[in-house]
Amino acid sequence: MFNDIGPLELVTIIVLAVLVFGPDKLPKVIQDVMRTVRKIREFSESAKQDIRQELGPEFKDFEFEDLNPKTFIRKQLDNEDLGLKELRNGFDLKKEMAEVTDAVHGRSPESSSPSLSASSGDRIDMTKKPEEPAKDDRPPFDADAT
């Protein structure tokens, strides 16, 4: 509930509470707040139970957390009926990138460099290295660019 409140913020809240309510009324205010939080939790749990009862036995394993879109998508992607795990495991990103790189450079897959056809444990160098021009060659000049 308070995962993102640091110790300094907690001390600040306590000091402000003592200043606003005073040391005499502070215990009573804390009791009232805790009682209200408990009632809200009880109301929430009873509403969840009522909804589960109204849905019937076909939704006995229904969880309200499943209504969160991230949780729903994660559950659907892990679903064995769709066969998405086999697709995800069968997709080799490094091999696909090597094929795309070969196609861009106009090379055939057989003549690809060893760094591109390396095993899946090796890293692929995706940086484009400029070719060294011959000493007599001038760099290309574009008259329209200047």
Side-chain angles (χ1 to χ4, degrees), residues 53-104:
Q53 288 174 354
E54 292 296 324
L55 287 175
E58 45 288 339
F59 293 99
K60 64 182 175 190
D61 56 344
F62 174 73
E63 293 295 326
F64 286 92
E65 290 79 24
D66 294 344
L67 297 176
N68 184 349
K70 288 182 181 178
T71 309
F72 178 77
I73 290 172
R74 188 176 301 123
K75 273 191 165 185
Q76 295 306 316
L77 289 177
D78 289 340
N79 191 352
E80 293 295 327
D81 297 336
L82 298 176
L84 293 177
K85 278 191 176 180
E86 291 84 18
L87 286 175
R88 188 175 12 170
N89 294 338
F91 182 68
D92 186 11
L93 182 61
K94 291 181 181 181
K95 180 181 172 191
E96 297 292 329
M97 290 302 294
E99 290 175 0
V100 169
T101 305
D102 288 342
V104 167

mmCIF file of all heavy atoms in Angstrom, residues 53-104:
data_model
loop_
_atom_site.group_PDB
_atom_site.id
_atom_site.type_symbol
_atom_site.label_atom_id
_atom_site.label_comp_id
_atom_site.label_asym_id
_atom_site.label_seq_id
_atom_site.Cartn_x
_atom_site.Cartn_y
_atom_site.Cartn_z
ATOM 1 N N GLN A 53 -20.924 -14.903 -6.483
ATOM 2 C CA GLN A 53 -22.122 -15.726 -6.316
ATOM 3 C C GLN A 53 -23.110 -15.498 -7.442
ATOM 4 O O GLN A 53 -23.748 -16.433 -7.926
ATOM 5 C CB GLN A 53 -22.782 -15.426 -4.973
ATOM 6 C CG GLN A 53 -22.022 -15.956 -3.791
ATOM 7 C CD GLN A 53 -22.636 -15.517 -2.471
ATOM 8 O OE1 GLN A 53 -23.564 -14.719 -2.437
ATOM 9 N NE2 GLN A 53 -22.088 -16.037 -1.375
ATOM 10 N N GLU A 54 -23.241 -14.257 -7.888
ATOM 11 C CA GLU A 54 -24.186 -13.938 -8.955
ATOM 12 C C GLU A 54 -23.711 -14.485 -10.307
ATOM 13 O O GLU A 54 -24.537 -14.812 -11.158
ATOM 14 C CB GLU A 54 -24.389 -12.428 -9.055
ATOM 15 C CG GLU A 54 -25.101 -11.813 -7.872
ATOM 16 C CD GLU A 54 -26.537 -12.306 -7.723
ATOM 17 O OE1 GLU A 54 -27.201 -12.523 -8.753
ATOM 18 O OE2 GLU A 54 -26.981 -12.466 -6.581
ATOM 19 N N LEU A 55 -22.409 -14.568 -10.504
ATOM 20 C CA LEU A 55 -21.904 -15.079 -11.783
ATOM 21 C C LEU A 55 -22.169 -16.568 -11.950
ATOM 22 O O LEU A 55 -22.323 -17.044 -13.061
ATOM 23 C CB LEU A 55 -20.404 -14.797 -11.916
ATOM 24 C CG LEU A 55 -20.028 -13.344 -12.176
ATOM 25 C CD1 LEU A 55 -18.516 -13.188 -12.164
ATOM 26 C CD2 LEU A 55 -20.585 -12.869 -13.504
ATOM 27 N N GLY A 56 -22.192 -17.303 -10.868
ATOM 28 C CA GLY A 56 -22.496 -18.712 -10.947
ATOM 29 C C GLY A 56 -21.260 -19.594 -10.937
ATOM 30 O O GLY A 56 -20.118 -19.124 -10.883
ATOM 31 N N PRO A 57 -21.496 -20.921 -11.037
ATOM 32 C CA PRO A 57 -20.388 -21.866 -10.896
ATOM 33 C C PRO A 57 -19.406 -21.863 -12.071
ATOM 34 O O PRO A 57 -18.270 -22.267 -11.918
ATOM 35 C CB PRO A 57 -21.085 -23.229 -10.788
ATOM 36 C CG PRO A 57 -22.423 -23.023 -11.390
ATOM 37 C CD PRO A 57 -22.785 -21.592 -11.166
ATOM 38 N N GLU A 58 -19.822 -21.391 -13.236
ATOM 39 C CA GLU A 58 -18.895 -21.399 -14.363
ATOM 40 C C GLU A 58 -17.772 -20.371 -14.198
ATOM 41 O O GLU A 58 -16.750 -20.458 -14.857
ATOM 42 C CB GLU A 58 -19.574 -21.252 -15.702
ATOM 43 C CG GLU A 58 -20.639 -20.258 -15.971
ATOM 44 C CD GLU A 58 -22.006 -20.460 -15.372
ATOM 45 O OE1 GLU A 58 -22.427 -21.555 -14.989
ATOM 46 O OE2 GLU A 58 -22.670 -19.447 -15.285
ATOM 47 N N PHE A 59 -17.939 -19.419 -13.292
ATOM 48 C CA PHE A 59 -16.905 -18.410 -13.027
ATOM 49 C C PHE A 59 -16.319 -18.576 -11.625
ATOM 50 O O PHE A 59 -15.929 -17.598 -10.989
ATOM 51 C CB PHE A 59 -17.495 -16.999 -13.163
ATOM 52 C CG PHE A 59 -17.887 -16.648 -14.558
ATOM 53 C CD1 PHE A 59 -19.204 -16.748 -14.960
ATOM 54 C CD2 PHE A 59 -16.944 -16.234 -15.475
ATOM 55 C CE1 PHE A 59 -19.581 -16.429 -16.251
ATOM 56 C CE2 PHE A 59 -17.305 -15.909 -16.764
ATOM 57 C CZ PHE A 59 -18.631 -16.012 -17.153
ATOM 58 N N LYS A 60 -16.211 -19.819 -11.149
ATOM 59 C CA LYS A 60 -15.740 -20.039 -9.785
ATOM 60 C C LYS A 60 -14.273 -19.651 -9.603
ATOM 61 O O LYS A 60 -13.873 -19.255 -8.523
ATOM 62 C CB LYS A 60 -15.951 -21.485 -9.369
ATOM 63 C CG LYS A 60 -15.145 -22.474 -10.172
ATOM 64 C CD LYS A 60 -15.427 -23.883 -9.759
ATOM 65 C CE LYS A 60 -14.684 -24.809 -10.696
ATOM 66 N NZ LYS A 60 -15.067 -26.164 -10.521
ATOM 67 N N ASP A 61 -13.458 -19.731 -10.663
ATOM 68 C CA ASP A 61 -12.046 -19.360 -10.542
ATOM 69 C C ASP A 61 -11.776 -17.957 -11.099
ATOM 70 O O ASP A 61 -10.646 -17.617 -11.408
ATOM 71 C CB ASP A 61 -11.153 -20.384 -11.226
ATOM 72 C CG ASP A 61 -11.516 -20.593 -12.686
ATOM 73 O OD1 ASP A 61 -12.613 -20.190 -13.083
ATOM 74 O OD2 ASP A 61 -10.690 -21.159 -13.420
ATOM 75 N N PHE A 62 -12.813 -17.146 -11.184
ATOM 76 C CA PHE A 62 -12.682 -15.773 -11.672
ATOM 77 C C PHE A 62 -11.964 -14.918 -10.646
ATOM 78 O O PHE A 62 -12.275 -14.948 -9.467
ATOM 79 C CB PHE A 62 -14.076 -15.199 -11.957
ATOM 80 C CG PHE A 62 -14.071 -13.741 -12.322
ATOM 81 C CD1 PHE A 62 -13.615 -13.334 -13.551
ATOM 82 C CD2 PHE A 62 -14.504 -12.786 -11.425
ATOM 83 C CE1 PHE A 62 -13.608 -11.992 -13.895
ATOM 84 C CE2 PHE A 62 -14.509 -11.447 -11.754
ATOM 85 C CZ PHE A 62 -14.053 -11.049 -12.990
ATOM 86 N N GLU A 63 -10.981 -14.152 -11.094
ATOM 87 C CA GLU A 63 -10.260 -13.226 -10.238
ATOM 88 C C GLU A 63 -10.422 -11.814 -10.794
ATOM 89 O O GLU A 63 -10.333 -11.613 -12.001
ATOM 90 C CB GLU A 63 -8.780 -13.585 -10.164
ATOM 91 C CG GLU A 63 -8.485 -14.890 -9.459
ATOM 92 C CD GLU A 63 -8.856 -14.849 -7.986
ATOM 93 O OE1 GLU A 63 -8.714 -13.778 -7.362
ATOM 94 O OE2 GLU A 63 -9.301 -15.887 -7.471
ATOM 95 N N PHE A 64 -10.631 -10.864 -9.924
ATOM 96 C CA PHE A 64 -10.817 -9.489 -10.365
ATOM 97 C C PHE A 64 -9.527 -8.903 -10.930
ATOM 98 O O PHE A 64 -9.555 -7.961 -11.707
ATOM 99 C CB PHE A 64 -11.344 -8.628 -9.219
ATOM 100 C CG PHE A 64 -12.795 -8.907 -8.924
ATOM 101 C CD1 PHE A 64 -13.152 -9.847 -7.985
ATOM 102 C CD2 PHE A 64 -13.785 -8.248 -9.625
ATOM 103 C CE1 PHE A 64 -14.481 -10.120 -7.728
ATOM 104 C CE2 PHE A 64 -15.116 -8.507 -9.372
ATOM 105 C CZ PHE A 64 -15.462 -9.443 -8.431
ATOM 106 N N GLU A 65 -8.394 -9.452 -10.543
ATOM 107 C CA GLU A 65 -7.120 -8.989 -11.092
ATOM 108 C C GLU A 65 -7.029 -9.308 -12.583
ATOM 109 O O GLU A 65 -6.253 -8.694 -13.306
ATOM 110 C CB GLU A 65 -5.952 -9.631 -10.351
ATOM 111 C CG GLU A 65 -5.779 -9.141 -8.928
ATOM 112 C CD GLU A 65 -6.746 -9.787 -7.944
ATOM 113 O OE1 GLU A 65 -7.236 -10.900 -8.211
ATOM 114 O OE2 GLU A 65 -7.033 -9.155 -6.916
ATOM 115 N N ASP A 66 -7.805 -10.290 -13.046
ATOM 116 C CA ASP A 66 -7.811 -10.647 -14.474
ATOM 117 C C ASP A 66 -8.399 -9.528 -15.326
ATOM 118 O O ASP A 66 -8.208 -9.519 -16.543
ATOM 119 C CB ASP A 66 -8.613 -11.929 -14.711
ATOM 120 C CG ASP A 66 -7.955 -13.129 -14.059
ATOM 121 O OD1 ASP A 66 -6.760 -13.023 -13.705
ATOM 122 O OD2 ASP A 66 -8.627 -14.164 -13.904
ATOM 123 N N LEU A 67 -9.121 -8.611 -14.718
ATOM 124 C CA LEU A 67 -9.704 -7.508 -15.471
ATOM 125 C C LEU A 67 -8.674 -6.445 -15.839
ATOM 126 O O LEU A 67 -8.923 -5.620 -16.708
ATOM 127 C CB LEU A 67 -10.847 -6.866 -14.673
ATOM 128 C CG LEU A 67 -12.027 -7.787 -14.385
ATOM 129 C CD1 LEU A 67 -13.042 -7.069 -13.513
ATOM 130 C CD2 LEU A 67 -12.656 -8.282 -15.664
ATOM 131 N N ASN A 68 -7.516 -6.489 -15.201
ATOM 132 C CA ASN A 68 -6.420 -5.602 -15.557
ATOM 133 C C ASN A 68 -5.918 -6.007 -16.945
ATOM 134 O O ASN A 68 -5.605 -7.177 -17.170
ATOM 135 C CB ASN A 68 -5.304 -5.710 -14.521
ATOM 136 C CG ASN A 68 -4.164 -4.750 -14.780
ATOM 137 O OD1 ASN A 68 -4.083 -4.120 -15.833
ATOM 138 N ND2 ASN A 68 -3.276 -4.648 -13.817
ATOM 139 N N PRO A 69 -5.835 -5.091 -17.898
ATOM 140 C CA PRO A 69 -5.445 -5.468 -19.264
ATOM 141 C C PRO A 69 -4.082 -6.146 -19.351
ATOM 142 O O PRO A 69 -3.915 -7.085 -20.124
ATOM 143 C CB PRO A 69 -5.434 -4.135 -20.018
ATOM 144 C CG PRO A 69 -6.332 -3.248 -19.242
ATOM 145 C CD PRO A 69 -6.219 -3.684 -17.820
ATOM 146 N N LYS A 70 -3.114 -5.720 -18.553
ATOM 147 C CA LYS A 70 -1.790 -6.347 -18.594
ATOM 148 C C LYS A 70 -1.868 -7.797 -18.148
ATOM 149 O O LYS A 70 -1.274 -8.684 -18.765
ATOM 150 C CB LYS A 70 -0.809 -5.587 -17.698
ATOM 151 C CG LYS A 70 -0.401 -4.260 -18.247
ATOM 152 C CD LYS A 70 0.609 -3.603 -17.327
ATOM 153 C CE LYS A 70 1.021 -2.253 -17.845
ATOM 154 N NZ LYS A 70 1.967 -1.588 -16.949
ATOM 155 N N THR A 71 -2.607 -8.055 -17.079
ATOM 156 C CA THR A 71 -2.754 -9.418 -16.584
ATOM 157 C C THR A 71 -3.510 -10.268 -17.594
ATOM 158 O O THR A 71 -3.150 -11.422 -17.832
ATOM 159 C CB THR A 71 -3.494 -9.416 -15.241
ATOM 160 O OG1 THR A 71 -2.860 -8.499 -14.364
ATOM 161 C CG2 THR A 71 -3.518 -10.787 -14.623
ATOM 162 N N PHE A 72 -4.537 -9.709 -18.200
ATOM 163 C CA PHE A 72 -5.328 -10.453 -19.181
ATOM 164 C C PHE A 72 -4.468 -10.859 -20.377
ATOM 165 O O PHE A 72 -4.489 -12.009 -20.813
ATOM 166 C CB PHE A 72 -6.513 -9.600 -19.644
ATOM 167 C CG PHE A 72 -7.359 -10.260 -20.684
ATOM 168 C CD1 PHE A 72 -8.247 -11.254 -20.331
ATOM 169 C CD2 PHE A 72 -7.244 -9.912 -22.018
ATOM 170 C CE1 PHE A 72 -9.031 -11.875 -21.287
ATOM 171 C CE2 PHE A 72 -8.015 -10.524 -22.980
ATOM 172 C CZ PHE A 72 -8.911 -11.517 -22.618
ATOM 173 N N ILE A 73 -3.696 -9.923 -20.893
ATOM 174 C CA ILE A 73 -2.855 -10.222 -22.058
ATOM 175 C C ILE A 73 -1.791 -11.248 -21.692
ATOM 176 O O ILE A 73 -1.522 -12.182 -22.452
ATOM 177 C CB ILE A 73 -2.229 -8.930 -22.610
ATOM 178 C CG1 ILE A 73 -3.324 -8.087 -23.257
ATOM 179 C CG2 ILE A 73 -1.127 -9.224 -23.616
ATOM 180 C CD1 ILE A 73 -2.874 -6.705 -23.676
ATOM 181 N N ARG A 74 -1.174 -11.103 -20.507
ATOM 182 C CA ARG A 74 -0.150 -12.051 -20.080
ATOM 183 C C ARG A 74 -0.733 -13.455 -19.975
ATOM 184 O O ARG A 74 -0.122 -14.430 -20.407
ATOM 185 C CB ARG A 74 0.440 -11.610 -18.742
ATOM 186 C CG ARG A 74 1.643 -12.412 -18.315
ATOM 187 C CD ARG A 74 2.267 -11.880 -17.026
ATOM 188 N NE ARG A 74 2.683 -10.502 -17.192
ATOM 189 C CZ ARG A 74 2.262 -9.493 -16.435
ATOM 190 N NH1 ARG A 74 1.416 -9.704 -15.461
ATOM 191 N NH2 ARG A 74 2.690 -8.270 -16.648
ATOM 192 N N LYS A 75 -1.941 -13.576 -19.427
ATOM 193 C CA LYS A 75 -2.573 -14.893 -19.312
ATOM 194 C C LYS A 75 -2.885 -15.479 -20.689
ATOM 195 O O LYS A 75 -2.729 -16.675 -20.913
ATOM 196 C CB LYS A 75 -3.857 -14.803 -18.487
ATOM 197 C CG LYS A 75 -3.641 -14.936 -17.026
ATOM 198 C CD LYS A 75 -4.965 -15.109 -16.329
ATOM 199 C CE LYS A 75 -4.738 -15.607 -14.930
ATOM 200 N NZ LYS A 75 -5.989 -15.894 -14.261
ATOM 201 N N GLN A 76 -3.340 -14.626 -21.611
ATOM 202 C CA GLN A 76 -3.683 -15.118 -22.929
ATOM 203 C C GLN A 76 -2.431 -15.551 -23.709
ATOM 204 O O GLN A 76 -2.477 -16.497 -24.472
ATOM 205 C CB GLN A 76 -4.458 -14.063 -23.721
ATOM 206 C CG GLN A 76 -5.802 -13.731 -23.121
ATOM 207 C CD GLN A 76 -6.672 -14.945 -22.911
ATOM 208 O OE1 GLN A 76 -6.765 -15.805 -23.766
ATOM 209 N NE2 GLN A 76 -7.309 -15.029 -21.757
ATOM 210 N N LEU A 77 -1.325 -14.844 -23.514
ATOM 211 C CA LEU A 77 -0.095 -15.223 -24.206
ATOM 212 C C LEU A 77 0.496 -16.500 -23.649
ATOM 213 O O LEU A 77 1.182 -17.237 -24.361
ATOM 214 C CB LEU A 77 0.936 -14.092 -24.132
ATOM 215 C CG LEU A 77 0.596 -12.867 -24.969
ATOM 216 C CD1 LEU A 77 1.646 -11.785 -24.755
ATOM 217 C CD2 LEU A 77 0.481 -13.208 -26.433
ATOM 218 N N ASP A 78 0.257 -16.784 -22.377
ATOM 219 C CA ASP A 78 0.759 -18.019 -21.770
ATOM 220 C C ASP A 78 -0.210 -19.186 -21.951
ATOM 221 O O ASP A 78 0.073 -20.285 -21.503
ATOM 222 C CB ASP A 78 1.030 -17.804 -20.282
ATOM 223 C CG ASP A 78 2.236 -16.919 -20.052
ATOM 224 O OD1 ASP A 78 3.047 -16.794 -20.988
ATOM 225 O OD2 ASP A 78 2.367 -16.367 -18.946
ATOM 226 N N ASN A 79 -1.335 -18.954 -22.606
ATOM 227 C CA ASN A 79 -2.344 -19.978 -22.806
ATOM 228 C C ASN A 79 -1.791 -21.066 -23.730
ATOM 229 O O ASN A 79 -1.316 -20.795 -24.824
ATOM 230 C CB ASN A 79 -3.597 -19.344 -23.409
ATOM 231 C CG ASN A 79 -4.770 -20.280 -23.402
ATOM 232 O OD1 ASN A 79 -4.641 -21.462 -23.084
ATOM 233 N ND2 ASN A 79 -5.925 -19.760 -23.748
ATOM 234 N N GLU A 80 -1.857 -22.311 -23.290
ATOM 235 C CA GLU A 80 -1.322 -23.432 -24.067
ATOM 236 C C GLU A 80 -2.187 -23.757 -25.291
ATOM 237 O O GLU A 80 -1.693 -24.288 -26.267
ATOM 238 C CB GLU A 80 -1.217 -24.677 -23.179
ATOM 239 C CG GLU A 80 -0.190 -24.565 -22.076
ATOM 240 C CD GLU A 80 1.226 -24.461 -22.627
ATOM 241 O OE1 GLU A 80 1.507 -25.050 -23.683
ATOM 242 O OE2 GLU A 80 2.039 -23.783 -21.995
ATOM 243 N N ASP A 81 -3.474 -23.423 -25.230
ATOM 244 C CA ASP A 81 -4.373 -23.772 -26.326
ATOM 245 C C ASP A 81 -4.021 -23.035 -27.616
ATOM 246 O O ASP A 81 -4.234 -23.559 -28.708
ATOM 247 C CB ASP A 81 -5.825 -23.442 -25.952
ATOM 248 C CG ASP A 81 -6.303 -24.249 -24.756
ATOM 249 O OD1 ASP A 81 -5.722 -25.329 -24.515
ATOM 250 O OD2 ASP A 81 -7.240 -23.802 -24.083
ATOM 251 N N LEU A 82 -3.484 -21.842 -27.509
ATOM 252 C CA LEU A 82 -3.195 -21.048 -28.696
ATOM 253 C C LEU A 82 -1.900 -21.456 -29.383
ATOM 254 O O LEU A 82 -1.703 -21.155 -30.552
ATOM 255 C CB LEU A 82 -3.131 -19.561 -28.328
ATOM 256 C CG LEU A 82 -4.421 -18.969 -27.770
ATOM 257 C CD1 LEU A 82 -4.193 -17.535 -27.348
ATOM 258 C CD2 LEU A 82 -5.531 -19.051 -28.791
ATOM 259 N N GLY A 83 -0.994 -22.109 -28.668
ATOM 260 C CA GLY A 83 0.274 -22.520 -29.253
ATOM 261 C C GLY A 83 1.245 -21.369 -29.451
ATOM 262 O O GLY A 83 2.150 -21.449 -30.277
ATOM 263 N N LEU A 84 1.065 -20.295 -28.713
ATOM 264 C CA LEU A 84 1.938 -19.134 -28.881
ATOM 265 C C LEU A 84 3.320 -19.359 -28.296
ATOM 266 O O LEU A 84 4.281 -18.747 -28.742
ATOM 267 C CB LEU A 84 1.300 -17.898 -28.243
ATOM 268 C CG LEU A 84 0.032 -17.409 -28.924
ATOM 269 C CD1 LEU A 84 -0.554 -16.237 -28.169
ATOM 270 C CD2 LEU A 84 0.321 -17.017 -30.355
ATOM 271 N N LYS A 85 3.438 -20.255 -27.319
ATOM 272 C CA LYS A 85 4.762 -20.531 -26.757
ATOM 273 C C LYS A 85 5.662 -21.161 -27.803
ATOM 274 O O LYS A 85 6.847 -20.836 -27.888
ATOM 275 C CB LYS A 85 4.650 -21.454 -25.542
ATOM 276 C CG LYS A 85 4.302 -20.735 -24.275
ATOM 277 C CD LYS A 85 4.461 -21.634 -23.087
ATOM 278 C CE LYS A 85 4.205 -20.840 -21.830
ATOM 279 N NZ LYS A 85 4.349 -21.640 -20.632
ATOM 280 N N GLU A 86 5.108 -22.074 -28.605
ATOM 281 C CA GLU A 86 5.909 -22.706 -29.647
ATOM 282 C C GLU A 86 6.353 -21.679 -30.680
ATOM 283 O O GLU A 86 7.474 -21.716 -31.163
ATOM 284 C CB GLU A 86 5.134 -23.836 -30.334
ATOM 285 C CG GLU A 86 4.901 -25.041 -29.452
ATOM 286 C CD GLU A 86 3.691 -24.877 -28.559
ATOM 287 O OE1 GLU A 86 2.830 -24.007 -28.834
ATOM 288 O OE2 GLU A 86 3.613 -25.600 -27.555
ATOM 289 N N LEU A 87 5.454 -20.753 -31.019
ATOM 290 C CA LEU A 87 5.823 -19.698 -31.964
ATOM 291 C C LEU A 87 6.913 -18.799 -31.394
ATOM 292 O O LEU A 87 7.873 -18.459 -32.083
ATOM 293 C CB LEU A 87 4.603 -18.847 -32.309
ATOM 294 C CG LEU A 87 3.576 -19.463 -33.239
ATOM 295 C CD1 LEU A 87 2.379 -18.537 -33.370
ATOM 296 C CD2 LEU A 87 4.179 -19.716 -34.591
ATOM 297 N N ARG A 88 6.761 -18.424 -30.140
ATOM 298 C CA ARG A 88 7.736 -17.539 -29.508
ATOM 299 C C ARG A 88 9.087 -18.239 -29.375
ATOM 300 O O ARG A 88 10.126 -17.640 -29.619
ATOM 301 C CB ARG A 88 7.234 -17.118 -28.140
ATOM 302 C CG ARG A 88 8.072 -16.070 -27.492
ATOM 303 C CD ARG A 88 7.499 -15.576 -26.197
ATOM 304 N NE ARG A 88 6.409 -16.399 -25.717
ATOM 305 C CZ ARG A 88 5.876 -16.294 -24.542
ATOM 306 N NH1 ARG A 88 6.309 -15.404 -23.708
ATOM 307 N NH2 ARG A 88 4.883 -17.062 -24.175
ATOM 308 N N ASN A 89 9.087 -19.524 -28.999
ATOM 309 C CA ASN A 89 10.340 -20.253 -28.843
ATOM 310 C C ASN A 89 10.976 -20.588 -30.187
ATOM 311 O O ASN A 89 12.182 -20.737 -30.284
ATOM 312 C CB ASN A 89 10.125 -21.531 -28.044
ATOM 313 C CG ASN A 89 9.736 -21.235 -26.610
ATOM 314 O OD1 ASN A 89 10.010 -20.158 -26.096
ATOM 315 N ND2 ASN A 89 9.079 -22.177 -25.970
ATOM 316 N N GLY A 90 10.173 -20.707 -31.239
ATOM 317 C CA GLY A 90 10.697 -21.044 -32.547
ATOM 318 C C GLY A 90 11.230 -19.848 -33.316
ATOM 319 O O GLY A 90 11.843 -20.004 -34.367
ATOM 320 N N PHE A 91 11.017 -18.670 -32.819
ATOM 321 C CA PHE A 91 11.455 -17.461 -33.507
ATOM 322 C C PHE A 91 12.853 -17.095 -33.037
ATOM 323 O O PHE A 91 13.077 -16.831 -31.878
ATOM 324 C CB PHE A 91 10.478 -16.320 -33.215
ATOM 325 C CG PHE A 91 10.822 -15.042 -33.918
ATOM 326 C CD1 PHE A 91 10.718 -14.939 -35.282
ATOM 327 C CD2 PHE A 91 11.259 -13.948 -33.211
ATOM 328 C CE1 PHE A 91 11.027 -13.768 -35.928
ATOM 329 C CE2 PHE A 91 11.576 -12.768 -33.843
ATOM 330 C CZ PHE A 91 11.458 -12.677 -35.211
ATOM 331 N N ASP A 92 13.811 -17.104 -33.964
ATOM 332 C CA ASP A 92 15.192 -16.766 -33.645
ATOM 333 C C ASP A 92 15.473 -15.373 -34.189
ATOM 334 O O ASP A 92 15.659 -15.184 -35.383
ATOM 335 C CB ASP A 92 16.136 -17.801 -34.258
ATOM 336 C CG ASP A 92 17.575 -17.581 -33.839
ATOM 337 O OD1 ASP A 92 17.806 -16.777 -32.924
ATOM 338 O OD2 ASP A 92 18.465 -18.217 -34.428
ATOM 339 N N LEU A 93 15.481 -14.389 -33.302
ATOM 340 C CA LEU A 93 15.641 -13.001 -33.703
ATOM 341 C C LEU A 93 16.989 -12.758 -34.356
ATOM 342 O O LEU A 93 17.080 -12.033 -35.344
ATOM 343 C CB LEU A 93 15.465 -12.084 -32.489
ATOM 344 C CG LEU A 93 15.549 -10.589 -32.760
ATOM 345 C CD1 LEU A 93 14.444 -10.182 -33.722
ATOM 346 C CD2 LEU A 93 15.459 -9.802 -31.484
ATOM 347 N N LYS A 94 18.045 -13.370 -33.840
ATOM 348 C CA LYS A 94 19.379 -13.148 -34.407
ATOM 349 C C LYS A 94 19.461 -13.677 -35.841
ATOM 350 O O LYS A 94 20.043 -13.038 -36.714
ATOM 351 C CB LYS A 94 20.432 -13.813 -33.537
ATOM 352 C CG LYS A 94 20.587 -13.122 -32.208
ATOM 353 C CD LYS A 94 21.648 -13.765 -31.377
ATOM 354 C CE LYS A 94 21.753 -13.038 -30.043
ATOM 355 N NZ LYS A 94 22.782 -13.600 -29.212
ATOM 356 N N LYS A 95 18.852 -14.820 -36.086
ATOM 357 C CA LYS A 95 18.863 -15.391 -37.435
ATOM 358 C C LYS A 95 18.064 -14.500 -38.384
ATOM 359 O O LYS A 95 18.497 -14.231 -39.507
ATOM 360 C CB LYS A 95 18.269 -16.795 -37.401
ATOM 361 C CG LYS A 95 18.241 -17.463 -38.744
ATOM 362 C CD LYS A 95 17.617 -18.833 -38.635
ATOM 363 C CE LYS A 95 17.407 -19.417 -40.003
ATOM 364 N NZ LYS A 95 16.575 -20.606 -39.961
ATOM 365 N N GLU A 96 16.911 -14.029 -37.921
ATOM 366 C CA GLU A 96 16.089 -13.159 -38.755
ATOM 367 C C GLU A 96 16.819 -11.855 -39.073
ATOM 368 O O GLU A 96 16.787 -11.375 -40.214
ATOM 369 C CB GLU A 96 14.757 -12.851 -38.058
ATOM 370 C CG GLU A 96 13.882 -14.065 -37.825
ATOM 371 C CD GLU A 96 13.352 -14.653 -39.108
ATOM 372 O OE1 GLU A 96 13.139 -13.899 -40.082
ATOM 373 O OE2 GLU A 96 13.147 -15.878 -39.152
ATOM 374 N N MET A 97 17.489 -11.279 -38.087
ATOM 375 C CA MET A 97 18.239 -10.040 -38.313
ATOM 376 C C MET A 97 19.403 -10.271 -39.266
ATOM 377 O O MET A 97 19.724 -9.416 -40.097
ATOM 378 C CB MET A 97 18.742 -9.464 -36.990
ATOM 379 C CG MET A 97 17.636 -8.905 -36.119
ATOM 380 S SD MET A 97 16.683 -7.602 -36.909
ATOM 381 C CE MET A 97 17.909 -6.330 -37.067
ATOM 382 N N ALA A 98 20.042 -11.426 -39.166
ATOM 383 C CA ALA A 98 21.144 -11.742 -40.074
ATOM 384 C C ALA A 98 20.630 -11.859 -41.510
ATOM 385 O O ALA A 98 21.277 -11.375 -42.448
ATOM 386 C CB ALA A 98 21.829 -13.034 -39.639
ATOM 387 N N GLU A 99 19.466 -12.466 -41.678
ATOM 388 C CA GLU A 99 18.895 -12.589 -43.022
ATOM 389 C C GLU A 99 18.525 -11.214 -43.585
ATOM 390 O O GLU A 99 18.746 -10.941 -44.761
ATOM 391 C CB GLU A 99 17.667 -13.501 -42.980
ATOM 392 C CG GLU A 99 18.002 -14.958 -42.734
ATOM 393 C CD GLU A 99 16.764 -15.811 -42.569
ATOM 394 O OE1 GLU A 99 15.639 -15.276 -42.655
ATOM 395 O OE2 GLU A 99 16.937 -17.025 -42.339
ATOM 396 N N VAL A 100 17.971 -10.352 -42.750
ATOM 397 C CA VAL A 100 17.622 -9.007 -43.198
ATOM 398 C C VAL A 100 18.882 -8.231 -43.570
ATOM 399 O O VAL A 100 18.937 -7.543 -44.597
ATOM 400 C CB VAL A 100 16.809 -8.264 -42.113
ATOM 401 C CG1 VAL A 100 16.669 -6.797 -42.438
ATOM 402 C CG2 VAL A 100 15.444 -8.907 -41.944
ATOM 403 N N THR A 101 19.915 -8.347 -42.752
ATOM 404 C CA THR A 101 21.176 -7.660 -43.029
ATOM 405 C C THR A 101 21.775 -8.160 -44.337
ATOM 406 O O THR A 101 22.274 -7.370 -45.152
ATOM 407 C CB THR A 101 22.166 -7.873 -41.872
ATOM 408 O OG1 THR A 101 21.547 -7.454 -40.658
ATOM 409 C CG2 THR A 101 23.441 -7.088 -42.082
ATOM 410 N N ASP A 102 21.736 -9.476 -44.555
ATOM 411 C CA ASP A 102 22.252 -10.034 -45.807
ATOM 412 C C ASP A 102 21.464 -9.510 -46.996
ATOM 413 O O ASP A 102 22.039 -9.173 -48.034
ATOM 414 C CB ASP A 102 22.187 -11.563 -45.780
ATOM 415 C CG ASP A 102 23.234 -12.158 -44.844
ATOM 416 O OD1 ASP A 102 24.199 -11.437 -44.510
ATOM 417 O OD2 ASP A 102 23.069 -13.333 -44.459
ATOM 418 N N ALA A 103 20.149 -9.425 -46.842
ATOM 419 C CA ALA A 103 19.327 -8.944 -47.948
ATOM 420 C C ALA A 103 19.613 -7.480 -48.247
ATOM 421 O O ALA A 103 19.658 -7.073 -49.409
ATOM 422 C CB ALA A 103 17.846 -9.141 -47.620
ATOM 423 N N VAL A 104 19.836 -6.687 -47.217
ATOM 424 C CA VAL A 104 20.121 -5.267 -47.414
ATOM 425 C C VAL A 104 21.460 -5.076 -48.105
ATOM 426 O O VAL A 104 21.602 -4.250 -49.002
ATOM 427 C CB VAL A 104 20.089 -4.520 -46.060
ATOM 428 C CG1 VAL A 104 20.680 -3.128 -46.183
ATOM 429 C CG2 VAL A 104 18.669 -4.444 -45.540
#
